[in-house]
Amino acid sequence: MGSIEGVEQNNGPSPHTLTIRYDAETDRVLIIDQTRLPHEYIEVELKTLADACYAISSMQVRGAPLIGVTAAFGVYLSLRGKNDIAAQRIVPQAVEALAATRPTAVNLRWALTEVEASLARCEGNLAASALEAALELHAQDIKACAQLGEHGAQRLQELWDAKNERAALEGLPKPERLNILTHCNAGSLATVDWGTALAVIYKAQARGIPLHVWVDETRPRNQGASLTCWELGQRGVAHTLIVDNAGGHLMQHGYVDCCVVGSDRTTLLGDVCNKIGTYLKALAASDNGIPFYVALPVSSIDFSLRDGLTEIPIEEREAEEVSHISGLDDLGAIRRVKLAPTGTVVSNFGFDVTPARLVSGLITERGVIEANETALIKLRDSLV
Ligand code: MRU
């Protein structure tokens, strides 16, 4: 894994609570309940397989890498306290239940396959082996996100240097900041720690690059407004919340230097599936000559698929996510209100696919690569 010259590497956990953690002393798996953020910060214990399935499907935990790691702990919870004969019978059922929780993020299937492979190699206790595998994926995710953050920060450094050079050449004042637009939440809350798109931002901030982030609210669940704004605020990153439709206007008027988003599944051809609305941002970026980067761990790449448009299963969620909205009222109570007339027909696709041609680069823990088949095959072959 190449380190960046002159940059201090810190690939361990950031100084913030992890989204999922295992307390070895009490044998407890704890998550931050993201359905309560930003209004309440609550840790919840996952005690059973059903708890893990519910946490993923109800989006107490969400974000592709975090879904995968939670599923791995879900297998452990299904085996805890069981003897190996019972465990042999339970594993396929647990894997099937966890795999059915959400369809789009490939990390879920990837993590389950990794755990199953560890169990197949195991000669001792299966529950202990499942826990070991989950802890290994947990640690790997932190490391990968920290590393991809460093690689992405180097790209932002180059963009910042170029912005300064351009201003100097044109006799303009020194720019105040580098403006980055992001969509949804691809932050520490979407992973075990650091995040993907936001890891790039945290690592760039640590280098001293003055940053400002445009945060798409990300209807219908508003992960941008509720989660990205919350975590950027926690970490002192300047940011502004915008409605999802504002990005194109901001790009046309020179307010955006670069877009950085995450991915739930990226194919061998470099097509990027991410939260619904990502594609429109990529189109606007392309039309305005603005770099559009996707930050993702290798675990979010599905090397078995080629065409993102036809081959990736796109999650469709319940109508009420669109027809209703919830938030804190002026008296401090969380309320849900209806936006649309009763009976309105609703469509709620959770994700869309940005074709590879609109992607400036894939920022991975292995470095920044082009979003094309040649680069992805090279990456795949370097993994074995
Ligand atoms: O529906 P969500 O909140 O799970 O969607 C999350 C995203 O779309 C993220 O951008 C993606 O998982 C990448 S996270 C590092």
Side-chain angles (χ1 to χ4, degrees), residues 59 62-65 67 102 183-186 190-191 196 223 262-264 274-275 351:
M59 295 176 66
R62 28 67 52 201
I67 292 171
R102 291 193 75 189
H183 192 66
C184 194
N185 174 265
T191 61
T196 57
Q223 291 95 326
S263 174
D264 288 83
N274 192 47
K275 181 53 56 189
F351 299 89

Side-chain angles (χ1 to χ4, degrees), residues 34 59 61-67 102 105 107 145 183-187 190-191 195-197 218 221 223 227 261-265 273-276 278 295-297 300 315 317 350-351:
Q34 299 189 28
M59 295 176 66
V61 293
R62 28 67 52 201
L66 178 56
I67 292 171
R102 291 193 75 189
N107 305 63
C145 289
H183 192 66
C184 194
N185 174 265
T191 61
T196 57
T218 318
R221 288 187 68 99
Q223 291 95 326
L227 304 179
V261 300
S263 174
D264 288 83
R265 195 187 292 230
C273 181
N274 192 47
K275 181 53 56 189
I276 192 88
T278 302
L296 74 172
S300 297
E315 178 176 26
R317 296 184 61 88
F351 299 89

Side-chain angles (χ1 to χ4, degrees), residues 148 151-160 178 180-183 186 196-198 200-201 251 256-263 266 270 272 274 278 281-282 285-286 289-296 354 356 358-364 367-371:
L148 72 85
H151 291 300
Q154 177 60 29
R155 276 297 150 112
L156 295 194
Q157 181 77 60
E158 287 157 16
L159 289 171
W160 176 235
L178 192 72
I180 297 151
L181 183 140
T182 193
H183 192 66
T196 57
L198 297 194
V200 172
I201 283 159
M251 291 187 215
V256 179
D257 297 306
C258 176
C259 299
V260 188
V261 300
S263 174
T266 287
V272 170
N274 192 47
T278 302
K281 298 298 138 49
S286 166
I290 293 166
F292 188 92
Y293 283 103
V294 179
L296 74 172
T354 298
L358 300 175
V359 177
S360 309
L362 301 173
I363 301 168
T364 77
V368 184
I369 64 165
E370 286 179 36

